[in-house]
Amino acid sequence: FNTSEREYKEKVVKKTPFPIISHQSMFKRLLRRSFFRKVHSATKASESKASVSTKTPVAEKKATEEHIEAPVDVSFDEVAGAYHRIRDDILRTSCTKSHHLSKALGMELYFKKEFQHESGSFKERGACNALHLLTQDQKKKGVIAASAGNHALALARHGKRMGIPVTVIMPTVAPMTKIMNCRDYGAKVIIAGSHIVEAKAHAESLVKEQGLTYINGYDHPDIIAGAGTVGWEAMEQVPDMDAIVVPVGGAGLIAGIAVVMKTLKPDVEVIGVEPKLCSSFTAAMKAGKVVDGVTGATLADGLAVPRVGENAFETAKNRVDRMVCVDEQSIALAVLRLTELEKCVVEGGGATGLAALLGDHLPHLKGKKVVLPLCGGNIDITVLGRVIDRGLAADGRLLRFVSTVSDRPGGINGVTKLLAEEGASIKEIFHERAWLQSNVYDVQIKCVVEVSDRKHGEAVHKALLNAGYPTLMMNHDENSSEFTAASQDLLAGKHKYGYRS
């Protein structure tokens, strides 16, 4: 039989206190059977119309996202259709419990590992779904998209598999590895624009010139429906979850996941996380509508979308329970924890959910069962190195300090010997003579050292002071008035502790 989102809630959810936990097997049988006929009948109908219709076969109201008069609220039916449509073409990613982080954070933490897809992100789900739903004429002419990475890779991969020509417009800031991988999949790559907005403008001009179909990477209804299958699989894998914490950029992923959660198990808390330097969805929620935000350079570059999608916001606004914004230090630390403890290489955007937990933004989740989608792993090796260094600094395992020592032979030797005795490893050391305002026979050294943890770092600092080396630690806000005053005092020799001559 056929059932709608409302009917499912009335027939199953409202009549059973724990519809998913107690009736998991019924959940699988009912939904798959309910939508199998509906999906396949819709697919056959769309194929029969393909020769005479030029509209996207998902629904008449959203022929293409560029011509929608009002934002589309993507339905549970469409996510269910996407699930059955793409399940033979998409990897069912694992959702495993983290022993170390569950213990550290005081909750049952499960990672939905979307970086396991061949192209490295959850974007494959939406891209595959959208390409399946093109008419024969649209498939023949091809598709186009503006993307700096994951969406371009997903379209290129499935376009090659399905024999659909793919053109991607990538801005000049796009990583070279992603450009090369898109070309390797056979996509036509055009570099245009200094950022994604300029790249999109160029793509739209080619839509008119060449008759291509534009597929937005986070706001096309078919993309949102495909992204929602992440939530569908997670619900099957962890049916008794209490919350799901989702990274938010253009909001397509959280919109699709929220549709699934609020239909199948409404008491699951849907929480979105975005970087403080680009909190466009939070701004839209406060304004009650989509607004233009300010985008700063962030480690979560995949989430740096200055304006969330209209359709995504319409779908998500009444289904998302809470939004959290995280700083860059927390994102770097999350990437470090995943690399070090989980052996998972995840990009900054994919790690923001964990960043919210590490930053203690969600204390009410302690003792609960929580799912985190790790939505992408396409991070450049050079960037990964920088992010790990920032994570080590945020974790208190990299220390920077300035100290004043004698400029006579053996002056620096005393400091290095003390650091060795304390078990600290010197990474960098730099001499500064010209700006020191105290004794002309003094020299100021700037050091970066590696320690085991924050407590070890405090012990090293104390040892330097006790040995007579005036030392200013630099692991805090260097723009603060307090730090500036302390730095000036050190330069002028106005320090509390003496030093060895």
Side-chain angles (χ1 to χ4, degrees):
F1 63 92
N2 294 327
T3 183
S4 67
E5 179 177 348
R6 178 182 59 79
E7 290 171 337
Y8 178 81
K9 288 180 179 179
E10 291 178 353
K11 293 178 180 179
V12 180
V13 177
K14 290 183 179 179
K15 291 185 178 181
T16 56
F18 305 103
I20 302 304
I21 299 174
S22 303
H23 304 288
Q24 182 183 4
S25 59
M26 180 187 71
F27 154 71
K28 292 181 179 180
R29 291 198 303 269
L30 173 64
L31 292 181
R32 286 177 176 169
R33 186 182 303 165
S34 299
F35 289 102
F36 184 78
R37 295 177 182 175
K38 186 170 187 176
V39 171
H40 284 274
S41 61
T43 302
K44 289 181 179 179
S46 65
E47 289 175 350
S48 65
K49 293 179 183 178
S51 59
V52 295
S53 174
T54 59
K55 295 186 177 181
T56 305
V58 178
E60 292 294 318
K61 66 179 180 180
K62 52 184 178 66
T64 66
E65 66 179 275
E66 303 299 331
H67 298 86
I68 298 173
E69 294 182 359
V72 173
D73 184 350
V74 175
S75 71
F76 178 65
D77 288 15
E78 290 170 273
V79 178
Y83 175 80
H84 289 286
R85 191 176 297 114
I86 70 174
R87 62 181 177 178
D88 293 332
D89 302 321
I90 294 294
L91 175 69
R92 181 183 175 87
T93 58
S94 62
C95 189
T96 56
K97 182 179 178 180
S98 168
H99 171 75
H100 296 293
L101 289 171
S102 292
K103 183 178 179 181
L105 295 170
M107 63 185 71
E108 282 191 60
L109 190 60
Y110 292 79
F111 290 126
K112 179 68 172 160
K113 299 177 180 178
E114 288 297 294
F115 59 84
Q116 293 175 341
H117 292 289
E118 182 179 311
S119 67
S121 82
F122 78 97
K123 292 286 187 180
E124 286 203 15
R125 298 173 180 273
C128 183
N129 187 49
L131 291 174
H132 269 300
L133 290 170
L134 295 173
T135 65
Q136 291 301 320
D137 184 56
Q138 288 172 327
K139 290 179 180 179
K140 183 177 180 181
K141 290 181 178 179
V143 299
I144 188 170
S147 170
N150 291 342
H151 179 54
L153 285 166
L155 271 183
R157 188 208 164 207
H158 287 282
K160 178 180 181 180
R161 184 180 60 80
M162 298 168 67
I164 300 173
V166 174
T167 301
V168 291
I169 313 300
M170 306 184 79
T172 55
V173 296
M176 185 55 63
T177 53
K178 293 182 180 180
I179 294 173
M180 297 302 295
N181 287 339
C182 283
R183 287 176 175 156
D184 187 55
Y185 279 128
K188 179 181 179 182
V189 178
I190 299 173
I191 308 299
S194 59
H195 50 73
I196 193 65
V197 176
E198 292 182 359
K200 183 180 179 182
H202 185 73
E204 289 172 342
S205 69
L206 295 181
V207 169
K208 298 177 182 178
E209 292 176 10
Q210 302 178 19
L212 303 175
T213 300
Y214 185 82
I215 301 179
N216 188 297
Y218 54 84
D219 199 40
H220 193 293
D222 300 339
I223 293 289
I224 296 172
T229 62
V230 174
W232 185 298
E233 286 184 9
M235 184 65 80
E236 289 184 337
Q237 293 163 322
V238 191
D240 54 344
M241 73 172 79
D242 297 302
I244 185 166
V245 184
V246 186
V248 178
L253 177 61
I254 195 169
I257 288 176
V259 167
V260 173
M261 297 301 161
K262 295 307 178 183
T263 302
L264 301 181
K265 194 182 177 191
D267 58 332
V268 170
E269 187 176 8
V270 179
I271 302 170
V273 184
E274 56 188 351
K276 286 182 178 179
L277 294 178
C278 187
S279 53
S280 53
F281 190 84
T282 299
M285 291 289 278
K286 290 179 179 178
K289 62 180 181 180
V290 174
V291 294
D292 292 323
V294 178
T295 304
T298 171
L299 297 176
D301 57 340
L303 306 183
V305 179
R307 183 183 177 91
V308 299
E310 296 280 354
N311 300 323
F313 181 72
E314 180 67 22
T315 304
K317 64 181 182 182
N318 295 322
R319 294 182 172 100
V320 173
D321 298 299
R322 186 191 301 253
M323 286 298 300
V324 172
C325 295
V326 294
D327 59 30
E328 298 299 290
Q329 280 192 330
S330 296
I331 296 172
L333 186 58
V335 173
L336 176 64
R337 288 283 187 270
L338 289 168
T339 305
E340 196 169 37
L341 299 179
E342 301 300 317
K343 309 301 181 280
C344 298
V345 178
V346 178
E347 60 191 88
T352 54
L354 180 59
L357 297 179
L358 293 174
D360 202 27
H361 293 286
L362 301 167
H364 69 287
L365 294 182
K366 290 187 183 298
K368 296 185 178 181
K369 189 168 287 190
V370 181
V371 173
L372 294 184
L374 303 178
C375 55
N378 290 318
I379 183 170
D380 282 352
I381 294 300
T382 53
V383 175
L384 178 61
R386 297 174 198 165
V387 173
I388 288 175
D389 282 344
R390 290 195 180 192
L392 289 170
D395 203 24
R397 291 156 64 184
L398 274 185
L399 299 181
R400 277 193 311 160
F401 64 85
V402 180
S403 188
T404 303
V405 301
S406 171
D407 199 20
R408 299 181 186 278
I412 296 177
N413 178 60
V415 175
T416 57
K417 184 178 179 180
L418 186 148
L419 291 173
E421 291 172 352
E422 293 295 323
S425 175
I426 298 175
K427 310 297 288 184
E428 296 177 10
I429 188 167
F430 175 76
H431 296 71
E432 180 58 69
R433 292 183 176 90
W435 283 270
L436 195 63
Q437 300 166 16
S438 58
N439 192 327
V440 72
Y441 296 107
D442 289 342
V443 63
Q444 196 172 77
I445 58 170
K446 295 180 180 178
C447 293
V448 177
V449 301
E450 187 174 0
V451 293
S452 58
D453 53 30
R454 200 175 299 278
K455 187 176 180 179
H456 184 200
E458 292 171 356
V460 170
H461 184 201
K462 185 177 180 180
L464 286 167
L465 295 176
N466 290 340
Y469 296 106
T471 303
L472 176 63
M473 305 306 290
M474 301 174 68
N475 288 4
H476 40 71
D477 185 7
E478 296 174 30
N479 295 318
S480 68
S481 58
E482 182 181 354
F483 180 86
T484 302
S487 180
Q488 292 298 320
D489 286 346
L490 188 65
L491 287 171
K494 300 175 183 178
H495 40 72
K496 181 178 179 181
Y497 299 92
Y499 57 90
R500 290 178 176 174
S501 60

